[in-house]
């Protein structure tokens, strides 16, 4: 007899369906074999599929791209918090998710969910020699955390980039983020993850654990807003606190479904 799994598809970092970054959230009674989670994520073919298991007081959470398991994901955590709040454990003031990046606390604040994440330490590095081939344009500066962060002069450059994803695989860092000052937001960015089987991540929460710390220092601000200038678009709010960052955003439900495996 097939196992039936509840799955929700949620658009994160947005207030409208078809915006933000879609994530699938599978609500489980117990953990699944890793190969099965990989196959479900591959079948969904979204940037991330989250697998959440309620425990006595908290939740176990893992994230998978169509290619592999990852250590930290912002939009899928936001989507999971939305699902928990609406369908699993309504009324929780704080939801604690036990993950490969430690315990991540999420608090509902009106229509937003505020996530307590680690902020990546950045070090300035040389601009990669082949970056012109990858992006068709050369940034003014480059920084490395978990990911490679490239800084440009204005948001028009960010929006115009048409990457060579095959060439991008040769760059250092797990993901690649490009960012510039914004006109309506503190910063504008785009994120790319071909090493994880995701060409462009529509709105990347963990990427802003690099992007917001950079702009907080440059702008002298603790509270920032960022816009991810992908085709779908999305808005993120950030507040720096030492080596942590509170990332906030909204989410909307796109679909409920059942998986039979």
């Amino acid at each position: 007899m097939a196992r039936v799994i509840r799955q929700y598809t949620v658009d994160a970092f947005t207030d409208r369906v078809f915006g933000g970054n879609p994530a699938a959230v599978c609500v489980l009674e117990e953990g699944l074999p890793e190969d099965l989670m990989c196959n479900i994520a591959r079948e969904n073919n979204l940037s991330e599929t989250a697998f959440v298991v309620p425990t006595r007081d908290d939740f176990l959470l893992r994230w998978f791209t169509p290619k592999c398991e990852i250590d930290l994901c912002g939009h899928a955590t936001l989507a999971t918090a939305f699902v928990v709040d609406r369908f699993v454990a309504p009324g929780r003031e704080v939801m604690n998710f036990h993950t490969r990046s430690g315990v991540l606390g999420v608090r509902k604040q009106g229509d937003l969910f505020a996530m307590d994440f680690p902020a990546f330490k950045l070090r300035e590095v040389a601009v990669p020699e082949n970056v012109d081939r990858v992006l068709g344009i050369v940034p003014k500066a480059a920084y490395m955390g978990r990911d490679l962060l490239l800084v440009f002069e204005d948001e028009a450059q960010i929006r115009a980039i048409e990457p060579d994803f095959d060439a991008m695989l040769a760059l250092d860092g797990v993901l690649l983020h490009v960012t510039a000052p914004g006109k309506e937001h503190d910063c504008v960015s785009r994120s790319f993850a071909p090493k994880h089987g995701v060409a462009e991540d529509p709105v990347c929460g963990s990427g802003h654990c690099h992007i917001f710390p950079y702009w907080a220092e440059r702008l002298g601000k603790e509270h920032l807003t960022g816009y991810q200038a992908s085709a779908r678009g999305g808005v993120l709010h950030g507040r720096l606190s030492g080596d942590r960052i509170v990332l906030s955003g909204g989410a909307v439900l796109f679909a409920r479904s059942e998986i039979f495996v």
Side-chain angles (χ1 to χ4, degrees):
M1 184 175 178
R3 178 194 285 114
V4 180
I5 298 171
R6 288 182 292 159
Q7 179 171 275
Y8 303 85
T9 305
V10 176
D11 292 335
F13 292 117
T14 186
D15 59 1
R16 60 181 179 84
V17 173
F18 306 126
N21 198 352
V25 180
C26 294
V27 180
L28 310 173
E29 295 181 359
E30 58 184 9
L32 297 177
E34 189 165 312
D35 62 341
L36 178 55
M37 290 188 284
C38 289
N39 283 331
I40 291 172
R42 191 175 300 116
E43 188 80 2
N44 284 330
N45 199 32
L46 298 172
S47 295
E48 266 82 28
T49 296
F51 297 88
V52 61
V53 181
T55 63
R56 184 172 181 179
D57 297 309
D58 296 334
F59 305 88
L60 306 179
L61 178 60
R62 297 173 72 175
W63 312 279
F64 287 78
T65 76
K67 189 173 182 179
C68 60
E69 185 173 10
I70 58 173
D71 290 339
L72 183 65
C73 180
H75 88 279
T77 302
L78 173 54
T80 302
F82 173 89
V83 168
V84 168
D85 178 70
R86 186 160 174 181
F87 299 106
V88 180
R92 287 280 188 99
E93 182 177 350
V94 176
M95 294 165 267
N96 289 316
F97 297 99
H98 295 254
T99 77
R100 289 173 62 163
S101 290
V103 179
L104 305 178
V106 182
R107 184 184 301 271
K108 188 175 182 183
Q109 296 180 336
D111 293 331
L112 304 181
F113 292 87
M115 305 177 291
D116 180 11
F117 271 30
F120 288 97
K121 293 183 178 179
L122 299 175
R123 69 181 192 280
E124 189 166 9
V125 296
V127 172
E129 293 182 359
N130 64 332
V131 73
D132 184 52
R133 179 187 169 195
V134 175
L135 300 177
I137 188 172
V138 177
K140 68 175 186 179
Y143 296 83
M144 184 65 69
R146 179 198 68 179
D147 307 333
L148 179 61
L149 175 66
L150 302 180
V151 182
F152 291 83
E153 295 287 350
D154 65 68
E155 69 176 74
Q157 295 173 302
I158 301 299
R159 296 176 184 273
I161 287 172
E162 297 182 2
D164 181 331
F165 292 108
D166 289 334
M168 191 180 292
L169 293 171
L171 294 177
D172 291 335
V174 179
L175 281 74
L176 170 64
H177 311 289
V178 294
T179 189
K183 295 182 176 65
E184 298 181 7
H185 302 84
D186 292 307
C187 57
V188 170
S189 60
R190 290 171 66 188
S191 298
F192 310 102
K195 293 177 183 178
H196 281 162
V198 178
E200 180 164 3
D201 197 24
V203 190
C204 186
S206 65
H208 280 78
C209 295
H210 301 71
I211 295 165
F212 278 153
Y214 172 84
W215 288 112
E217 182 176 346
R218 294 306 178 280
L219 299 175
K221 299 177 68 173
E222 286 187 2
H223 297 262
L224 302 103
T225 61
Y227 182 73
Q228 195 103 49
S230 65
R232 295 175 65 97
V235 175
L236 309 91
H237 304 270
R239 177 174 59 82
L240 272 292
S241 179
D243 61 353
R244 307 290 294 181
I245 179 169
V246 177
L247 289 176
S248 302
V252 294
L253 180 68
F254 173 68
R256 288 187 290 181
S257 58
E258 292 179 329
I259 298 174
F260 299 90
V261 292

